[in-house]
Amino acid sequence: MISVVVLISGSGSNLLSLLQKSENPLYPAKIVAVGSDCDAPGLEHAELYEVDTFVVHPSQFSSREDWAKTLLANVLHHQPDLVVLAGFMKILPVSFVSALKGKLINIHPSLLPEFKGAHAVRDALANGASKTGVSIHYVDEGVDTGEIIVQSEVLIEPGDTEHSLHVRIKTVEHELLAQTIEKIAYKQLPVAKL
Ligand code: GRF
């Protein structure tokens, strides 16, 4: 059984799906805490499942480094084997990423390296792409640049809006994230080359 800390900034549908999956005693990962940079609506899922939460607001710190140091301390307090960025919308400084090297993964709604950044779904539509998808990758010092662990395609349908496409992408994300964490727990994935 591995211990997982999940960091979110938004609605937390990936978090909710993981909480539901980890209710199964055969699922090899336990979410030990959920953290955020804001009062994210998704924190309610953690509270419902009686999982510890912490919020570290950047505005309460004089520098990004100090904010990240406190965020890291909160994460490490729970001694996780794995830290999952599931819709965490702040860019983390090198100090945070290095401290968790090989243990920090992110889920992103595109087939990286296409459509990096915060508007990946919108950008795929604006570019007239016929398909996009989901990537799960180790986090490195860049933005959405780390080593890719797994990807899955999602076809773009005529008439798709950012919302309709993102809903379909999230359905794929929920399964892919749970499967990937399971493989990490069973050491079925190669060790990160970071
Ligand atoms: C997901 O699409 C994820 O790929 C991206 O942010 C979104 C988070 O969605 N990084 P949710 O908060 O899990 O619903």
Side-chain angles (χ1 to χ4, degrees), residues 11 13-14 134 165-175:
S11 63
S13 69
N14 279 285
V134 177
L165 179 56
H166 206 168
V167 167
R168 281 209 315 292
I169 288 174
K170 284 191 186 189
T171 309
V172 174
E173 288 186 338
H174 298 165
E175 293 311 310

Side-chain angles (χ1 to χ4, degrees), residues 105 136 149-150 175-184 189:
I105 66 170
I136 298 177
I149 303 170
V150 65
E175 293 311 310
L176 200 63
L177 185 58
Q179 286 165 14
T180 303
I181 292 174
E182 193 166 5
K183 285 186 182 159
I184 290 172
L189 285 169

Side-chain angles (χ1 to χ4, degrees), residues 59-162:
S59 59
Q60 290 169 353
F61 295 85
S62 55
S63 72
R64 207 163 74 92
E65 275 302 327
D66 285 350
W67 163 71
K69 214 187 260 181
T70 302
L71 185 70
L72 181 63
N74 276 273
V75 168
L76 294 179
H77 171 74
H78 296 279
Q79 302 186 307
D81 300 300
L82 183 70
V83 179
V84 178
L85 305 182
F88 187 72
M89 298 308 285
K90 285 275 176 301
I91 295 170
L92 292 158
V94 173
S95 55
F96 185 99
V97 173
S98 320
L100 292 171
K101 221 163 205 179
K103 281 187 178 185
L104 182 61
I105 66 170
N106 180 44
I107 183 157
H108 182 79
S110 80
L111 297 173
L112 290 170
E114 290 192 319
F115 310 122
K116 295 178 182 138
H119 304 293
V121 180
R122 190 184 308 169
D123 293 346
L125 280 172
N127 268 267
S130 58
K131 65 178 185 191
T132 182
V134 177
S135 303
I136 298 177
H137 63 94
Y138 290 107
V139 178
D140 67 4
E141 288 75 13
V143 177
D144 302 327
T145 52
E147 184 186 333
I148 292 167
I149 303 170
V150 65
Q151 293 184 304
S152 184
E153 281 183 17
V154 175
L155 294 181
I156 298 179
E157 291 170 2
D160 253 337
T161 60
E162 184 177 354

